[in-house]
Every structure is written in structure tokens, then in C-alpha cells.
Amino acid sequence: RVEEAVVLLCDAARRAVSRGSLEPHQRLDRSIAYLDAHLMDAHRLADVARVAGVHAMHLARLFRRRLGCSMGEFVRRRRIAWACAELARGQDTITTIAQQAGFADHAHFTRTFVRITGSTPSWYRAHVRGF
């Protein structure tokens, strides 16, 4: 009986290992690639976790452990980086860039921009373009 239980347990462990063949960094890389490819979409942790093939709470821990922030903060930082490039080009208004970057309004965009970059979008635009 004990031998039978050990065999069943080993078989279950072998199946679990073969199902989860991706390493944690590969799962995080897959999540990041997905988020980058769909940067301006609204994301739910559970949906991105499904793409990575892990439980949502496990993905949340991976983000915090490897990147030092939540998935939501990671997306906000990437959107602000995108907005910096758009501000440097100088073709659209700050409000338009904020909307394109997925922020609710100009004020929310500005608060997030200041928190991440340390400057306002208008200051950044002026100094990047040399004005």
C-alpha cells in the first residue's frame, strides 16, 4: 500500500513538472511581451496570468520579486515611457497623448508622469525639445 501511494505520488509530480515546463523568468518574459504588444489595452491580472500559464497571484509575486513593482505599475511606467517619446516628437497635445496612453484624463496623466519622471509633461516637452 505504501509503495503504491509513493508510485502514484511520483507519477503525479512528474505530470505536474511536465505541465509547468516554463521557468518562472520565461513566464514573466511571456507576460511582459504580451503587455508590450498590447500596451494601450486595459489589462486584468487574471488574463495576463492565463497568457503566461500561471495563477494570477503567482504572476503578481513574480512581478514584485523580479521587477519590484506590481503589474499595473509596470504598465503605467511603460505607458509613461511611450508618452515621453510622444512628447519629444511634439506633434500632439498633452491631453491627446494622455488619452492615447490610456489615462482617464489630463490630471491623472500629469500626476502619474510627475511621480515617475519627477517633472510635468509640459516641462519635459519643453526641455527635451530645447525650449
Side-chain angles (χ1 to χ4, degrees), residues 21-92:
S21 60
L22 291 177
E23 295 293 323
H25 67 275
Q26 291 171 316
R27 294 179 189 281
L28 187 59
D29 290 346
R30 182 186 285 177
S31 300
I32 290 170
Y34 174 80
L35 290 169
D36 282 342
H38 302 92
L39 188 58
M40 301 311 168
D41 297 345
H43 299 287
R44 290 176 358 117
L45 183 62
D47 296 335
V48 178
R50 201 170 301 113
V51 168
V54 295
H55 189 274
M57 294 315 299
H58 182 65
L59 182 61
R61 280 192 299 274
L62 285 175
F63 264 93
R64 288 228 183 261
R65 189 178 320 130
R66 301 278 168 99
L67 301 174
C69 63
S70 68
M71 185 186 83
E73 181 64 15
F74 173 82
V75 169
R76 280 186 291 281
R77 289 177 185 176
R78 293 286 175 123
R79 288 177 178 176
I80 292 297
W82 176 86
C84 285
E86 292 299 307
L87 289 166
R89 287 185 343 152
Q91 295 175 355
D92 290 325

Side-chain angles (χ1 to χ4, degrees), residues 13-22:
R14 190 173 20 258
R15 283 193 312 269
V17 167
S18 67
R19 274 194 315 265
S21 60
L22 291 177

Side-chain angles (χ1 to χ4, degrees), residues 63-123:
F63 264 93
R64 288 228 183 261
R65 189 178 320 130
R66 301 278 168 99
L67 301 174
C69 63
S70 68
M71 185 186 83
E73 181 64 15
F74 173 82
V75 169
R76 280 186 291 281
R77 289 177 185 176
R78 293 286 175 123
R79 288 177 178 176
I80 292 297
W82 176 86
C84 285
E86 292 299 307
L87 289 166
R89 287 185 343 152
Q91 295 175 355
D92 290 325
T93 66
I94 293 172
T95 300
T96 300
I97 292 170
Q99 290 170 344
Q100 290 173 344
F103 289 89
D105 54 37
H106 184 110
H108 180 221
F109 172 70
T110 299
R111 279 192 310 274
T112 304
F113 196 95
V114 168
R115 183 175 54 79
I116 291 173
T117 68
S119 67
T120 64
S122 57
W123 186 94

